[in-house]
């Protein structure tokens, strides 16, 4: 089921983690015309040339600055998520997109989380945030590439418990040129996570 257009306007994007997937999400944000702050653990100086290369709407910032944007995307390795997030100020209802996969690299070994979806574990680390699971099913090179393919649009799946937060994600994805598809609540993100039926599958929605 696709989320209808709404009047929710989210303007800025903050990205925590500026590796392969963070870089791809920054490209997507540029396609959507969003002002974007990228961050990593080494600090803004290490990211200035990357930000310049991505375009005038992207700047390097601290993790705290990235976390202050309207939509915050977390794109760090699973074993660094807690350390990336624990010192940040209160989330106060901010939209936080979990782009992670609960895997240990190298080896792509899935982390055993018992019966919980990885995004439910993630949500417990960002109390007060409105969590959306998204951007995690496509490999970075595909996510960064032109979403208009074979006469159709590349599909991005998302899920979450907060309708307005999902509208914010939907708007970002569609303005970047993707076909965004709502899978339901955060517990449904299980099908998005790795390993899961949608992991690394590159769907195209044809008109
Ligand atoms: N690569 C893919 O195709 C892909 C696809 C879908 C989902 N994912 C998921 O996306 C996440 C990132 O994967 P990746 O491949 O992009 O990893 P990556 O290339 O290794 O990049 C990781 C980034 O996270 C940053 N980081 C690490 N610890 C941090 C901290 N404490 N605070 C702020 N930034 C921190 C690193 O910055 P420093 O170097 O400064 O530490 C680096 O910029 C993972 O959870 C992965 O499963 C990846």
């Amino acid at each position: 089921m696709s989320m209808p257009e709404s009047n929710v306007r989210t303007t800025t994007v903050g990205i925590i983690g500026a590796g392969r997937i963070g870089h791809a999400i920054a490209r997507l944000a540029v396609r959507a015309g969003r002002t974007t702050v990228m961050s990593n653990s080494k600090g803004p100086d290490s990211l200035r040339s990357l930000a310049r290369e991505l375009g005038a709407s992207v700047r390097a910032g601290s993790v705290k600055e990235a976390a202050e944007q309207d939509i915050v995307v977390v794109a760090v390795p699973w074993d660094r998520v807690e350390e990336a997030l624990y010192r940040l100020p209160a989330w106060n209802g901010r939209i936080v997109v979990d782009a992670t996969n609960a895997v240990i690299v190298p080896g792509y070994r899935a982390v055993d989380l018992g019966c919980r979806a990885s995004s439910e574990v993630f949500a417990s680390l960002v109390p007060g945030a409105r969590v959306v699971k998204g951007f995690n099913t496509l490999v970075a090179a595909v996510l960064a590439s032109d979403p208009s393919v074979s006469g159709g649009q590349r599909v991005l799946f998302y899920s979450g418990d907060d309708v307005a937060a999902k509208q914010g994600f939907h708007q970002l994805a569609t303005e970047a040129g993707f076909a965004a598809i709502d899978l339901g609540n955060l517990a449904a993100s299980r099908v998005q996570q790795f390993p899961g039926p949608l992991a690394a599958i590159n769907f195209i929605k044809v008109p």
Side-chain angles (χ1 to χ4, degrees), residues 33-112:
R34 303 301 177 93
T35 297
T36 300
V37 177
M38 295 186 79
S39 68
N40 64 5
S41 71
K42 297 189 184 77
D45 286 346
S46 68
L47 288 175
R48 289 200 211 288
S49 66
L50 172 64
R52 252 196 310 276
E53 177 206 311
L54 285 164
S57 60
V58 182
R59 72 176 173 86
S62 64
V63 170
K64 183 170 175 290
E65 284 173 296
E68 286 164 353
Q69 306 310 307
D70 299 320
I71 293 187
V72 182
V73 185
V74 179
V76 304
W78 182 256
D79 57 359
R80 307 285 295 272
V81 172
E82 200 162 351
E83 133 200 338
L85 301 175
Y86 86 102
R87 268 179 301 209
L88 293 173
W91 291 98
N92 291 332
R94 186 158 282 114
I95 301 171
V96 177
V97 180
D98 171 18
T100 70
N101 282 311
V103 288
I104 301 301
V105 179
Y108 285 92
R109 188 167 46 82
V111 177
D112 183 1

Side-chain angles (χ1 to χ4, degrees), residues 11-197:
T11 53
T12 64
V13 176
I15 305 173
I16 299 175
R20 287 162 292 183
I21 204 74
H23 191 158
I25 293 162
R27 284 198 187 284
L28 180 151
V30 168
R31 285 183 196 281
R34 303 301 177 93
T35 297
T36 300
V37 177
M38 295 186 79
S39 68
N40 64 5
S41 71
K42 297 189 184 77
D45 286 346
S46 68
L47 288 175
R48 289 200 211 288
S49 66
L50 172 64
R52 252 196 310 276
E53 177 206 311
L54 285 164
S57 60
V58 182
R59 72 176 173 86
S62 64
V63 170
K64 183 170 175 290
E65 284 173 296
E68 286 164 353
Q69 306 310 307
D70 299 320
I71 293 187
V72 182
V73 185
V74 179
V76 304
W78 182 256
D79 57 359
R80 307 285 295 272
V81 172
E82 200 162 351
E83 133 200 338
L85 301 175
Y86 86 102
R87 268 179 301 209
L88 293 173
W91 291 98
N92 291 332
R94 186 158 282 114
I95 301 171
V96 177
V97 180
D98 171 18
T100 70
N101 282 311
V103 288
I104 301 301
V105 179
Y108 285 92
R109 188 167 46 82
V111 177
D112 183 1
L113 300 171
C115 56
R116 296 169 87 193
S118 64
S119 269
E120 294 177 308
V121 176
F122 177 94
S124 70
L125 301 173
V126 286
R130 295 179 293 156
V131 174
V132 178
K133 180 75 173 178
F135 299 138
N136 71 302
T137 56
L138 294 174
V139 297
V142 174
L143 184 63
S145 64
D146 188 346
S148 301
V149 210
S150 309
Q153 291 169 288
R154 200 181 309 290
V155 170
L156 274 184
F157 295 105
Y158 64 95
S159 54
D161 292 337
D162 186 280
V163 171
K166 287 198 286 189
Q167 285 171 340
F169 180 93
H170 184 93
Q171 202 163 42
L172 173 62
T174 54
E175 287 175 9
F178 289 82
I181 297 180
D182 182 3
L183 295 173
N185 61 17
L186 204 57
S189 66
R190 220 172 278 279
V191 295
Q192 282 167 268
Q193 69 189 34
F194 180 93

